[in-house]
Amino acid sequence: MSGKSLFYPPKMGRIMLLGMEEIMGEKGVNAVLGLSSLEGSIQYPLPAKLNTPFSFETISHLQNALELAYGPHGGRGTALRIGRACFKYGLKEYGSMLGLTEMTFRLLPLPMKLHLGAKAFADLFNKHTDQKVRIEEAGDKILWHIERCPLCWERKSKESMCHLAVGLLQESLYWLSGGKMFNVEETACISRGDAACTISIDRTPL
Ligand SMILES: [Zn+2]
């Protein structure tokens, strides 16, 4: 590691806070910011325009604070729901740039939408953030490898912990497929000593 800090741009930090606010309310967000000792370092309540980028340390501290606030099980459920809520804010911010909201894309058959959607989504992170994502299409699965992950940044755990990413992918698949559910699970996590955080997606809906 070079010691240089890694970041999400302000727009993406804002999306994460909007998702948190939708699930936990303003009070809940304030409580979590307090638990993560990030009070004061994040502009909250959200201003119309957020100017500060979110460091990977900040993002990881926020995930940890969810566990402190709700316990390991409740924290996991809350992070999943926040991830799902983040999707619509992300779509609003980046959807047209990615071409995902164009009719030509929406009319493609599902396998093609999954293939192109995964690539566009990975490119968004690779080009606009310090997060690194690699897509592997393996038979009936799409593997979303987060090779540099802000969610579990500098954390150690026995269990996978990047639940927010799982929720975000679940909701993007739901949207992409016009309302179908897919099996999505994190099968490897850097916090457990794995090389990447791997989220395995079944190509066929449930
Ligand atoms: Zn991770």
Side-chain angles (χ1 to χ4, degrees):
M1 285 293 132
S2 63
K4 174 185 159 285
S5 280
L6 303 171
F7 292 97
Y8 263 10
K11 275 181 187 174
M12 255 191 220
R14 181 182 169 79
I15 289 166
M16 189 175 284
L17 286 179
L18 284 170
M20 288 172 67
E21 194 172 84
E22 181 175 320
I23 301 304
M24 303 188 291
E26 206 174 298
K27 268 191 187 158
V29 177
N30 272 319
V32 163
L33 291 178
L35 283 168
S36 57
S37 22
L38 291 168
E39 267 171 330
S41 63
I42 290 181
Q43 294 166 274
Y44 193 81
L46 276 170
K49 193 173 185 309
L50 194 70
N51 296 313
T52 37
F54 273 41
S55 71
F56 278 23
E57 287 84 1
T58 295
I59 295 165
S60 159
H61 280 140
L62 282 175
Q63 308 309 306
N64 189 45
L66 290 176
E67 269 176 41
L68 294 174
Y70 298 96
H73 187 74
R76 175 177 181 274
T78 307
L80 276 170
R81 290 169 63 207
I82 293 170
R84 286 190 211 122
C86 284
F87 176 76
K88 68 168 174 292
Y89 301 112
L91 189 68
K92 206 167 147 197
E93 187 66 51
Y94 295 107
S96 64
M97 184 187 89
L98 297 177
L100 297 178
T101 48
E102 282 168 27
M103 194 49 82
T104 42
F105 178 79
R106 304 220 60 179
L107 291 174
L108 290 170
L110 182 59
M112 189 53 87
K113 278 205 279 196
L114 291 179
H115 169 74
L116 293 175
K119 188 176 179 315
F121 211 26
D123 281 352
L124 171 67
F125 287 103
N126 290 332
K127 288 181 186 158
H128 296 270
T129 78
D130 288 322
Q131 178 174 326
K132 289 283 159 267
V133 177
R134 181 172 62 85
I135 304 285
E136 182 186 351
E137 305 211 24
D140 58 352
K141 300 207 187 288
I142 297 176
L143 302 177
W144 174 269
H145 299 293
I146 310 173
E147 297 180 327
R148 210 198 261 154
C149 176
L151 296 170
C152 63
W153 186 249
E154 291 178 336
R155 294 179 69 194
K156 292 264 171 290
S157 169
K158 288 200 174 77
E159 286 175 49
S160 299
M161 55 166 64
C162 308
H163 314 304
L164 196 145
V166 173
L168 183 67
L169 289 174
Q170 279 176 338
E171 190 63 24
S172 56
L173 290 156
Y174 184 81
W175 178 83
L176 208 67
S177 65
K180 296 192 169 77
M181 311 284 267
F182 293 74
N183 191 38
V184 181
E185 59 179 318
E186 190 177 17
T187 55
C189 185
I190 295 168
S191 72
R192 305 193 310 205
D194 297 318
C197 300
T198 298
I199 298 173
S200 169
I201 298 162
D202 285 356
R203 266 181 222 268
T204 314
L206 293 170

